[in-house]
Amino acid sequence: QKEVEQDPGPLSVPEGAIVSLNCTYSNSAFQYFMWYRQYSRKGPELLMYTYSSGNKEDGRFTAQVDKSSKYISLFIRDSQPSDSATYLCAMKEAGGTSYGKLTFGQGTILTVHP
Amino acid sequence: DTGVSQNPRHKITKRGQNVTFRCDPISEHNRLYWYRQTLGQGPEFLTYFQNEAQLEKSRLLSDRFSAERPKGSFSTLEIQRTEQGDSAMYLCASSSRDIQYFGAGTRLSVL
């Protein structure tokens, strides 16, 4: 079983829709949670970074963390065709010998059509 | 500052050949990471440098793989005797503290 599970989709939505992306994890040592966006043939780009349970909002994006359930989500409001990309959840342990290495989910392919 | 730079962007090689990739991190970032990403998967950690010291290597990094970061600046990743299973995107990331910034990657195709 992988440490981080993410539904690969693909997910296809109309422009303006609310998108929900989710990941579950099994490693209780994960304390920091990120969402990256990756366009085709590009490197991952950080969207959101959180470390506590609860919600964090940035523009049209909201990241939600539930450590008790080992579950994180990313919501995209008023989705745009330019949001079409692969979305990766990523996690890391706090300090120690983990050296900040990230463990990624499989990625969810999102297409927003006009 | 133009971000993390990786070269070449694409490398095509024949099975059995050696290849070397280069990563130039963001200036002043003392932490550097290499990841490998295969089609339809998320990136997987390969190795980590703090300044010039290689502090961690994944078990994914076989004997054919070696990485260096001389003088704590740019880094190279070399694969010897390439195999078809080495075909993937090799990503480099750098950070000064919490956030890792990724380069565009080097796509390796082994024929």
Side-chain angles (χ1 to χ4, degrees), chain A residues 2 8 32 34 36 38 41-46 49 86 88 92 97-107 109, chain B residues 9-10 31 33 35 37 40-45 48 50 55-56 89 91 97-105 107:
Chain A
K2 292 186 176 182
Y32 298 89
M34 288 134 275
Y36 281 84
Q38 186 175 27
R41 301 186 183 279
K42 300 288 188 181
E45 169 195 15
L46 182 68
Y49 180 96
T86 297
L88 298 156
K92 66 177 181 178
T97 57
S98 70
Y99 299 118
K101 66 181 177 188
L102 300 179
T103 301
F104 284 86
Q106 186 176 357
I109 300 171
Chain B
R9 291 295 312 278
H10 195 181
R31 302 179 184 185
Y33 303 81
Y35 293 85
Q37 185 177 24
Q41 301 296 318
E44 292 180 294
F45 170 78
Y48 164 70
Q50 184 160 319
L55 297 184
E56 187 173 6
M89 173 81 88
L91 293 162
R97 288 193 62 186
D98 295 329
I99 296 174
Q100 292 183 29
Y101 297 88
F102 283 82
R107 181 169 298 279

Side-chain angles (χ1 to χ4, degrees), chain A residues 2-20:
Chain A
K2 292 186 176 182
E3 284 188 290
V4 180
E5 298 279 357
Q6 182 177 3
D7 186 343
L11 196 56
S12 182
V13 301
E15 183 175 355
I18 296 174
V19 176
S20 172

Side-chain angles (χ1 to χ4, degrees), chain B residues 4-57:
Chain B
V4 178
S5 177
Q6 291 190 247
N7 287 289
R9 291 295 312 278
H10 195 181
K11 178 71 176 178
I12 301 174
T13 191
K14 293 182 179 179
R15 186 163 49 94
Q17 298 295 305
N18 299 344
V19 295
T20 301
F21 313 139
R22 177 178 171 126
C23 171
D24 287 273
I26 294 171
S27 300
E28 308 305 320
H29 278 189
N30 61 338
R31 302 179 184 185
L32 188 146
Y33 303 81
W34 285 97
Y35 293 85
R36 179 171 68 189
Q37 185 177 24
T38 54
L39 197 63
Q41 301 296 318
E44 292 180 294
F45 170 78
L46 291 179
T47 191
Y48 164 70
F49 288 87
Q50 184 160 319
N51 299 309
E52 67 275 11
Q54 186 175 21
L55 297 184
E56 187 173 6
K57 294 195 297 184

Side-chain angles (χ1 to χ4, degrees), chain A residues 3-8 20-26 33-36 64-66 69-74 87-91 103-108:
Chain A
E3 284 188 290
V4 180
E5 298 279 357
Q6 182 177 3
D7 186 343
S20 172
L21 306 167
N22 311 294
C23 287
T24 59
Y25 62 96
S26 57
F33 307 92
M34 288 134 275
W35 286 94
Y36 281 84
Q64 192 173 76
V65 174
D66 183 346
S69 300
K70 296 189 179 66
Y71 185 88
I72 69 169
S73 300
L74 178 70
Y87 289 79
L88 298 156
C89 63
M91 310 178 185
T103 301
F104 284 86
Q106 186 176 357
T108 299

Side-chain angles (χ1 to χ4, degrees), chain B residues 70-82:
Chain B
K71 302 179 182 178
S73 55
F74 70 91
S75 176
T76 57
L77 178 66
E78 180 183 17
I79 309 175
Q80 296 182 329
R81 305 182 302 282
T82 52

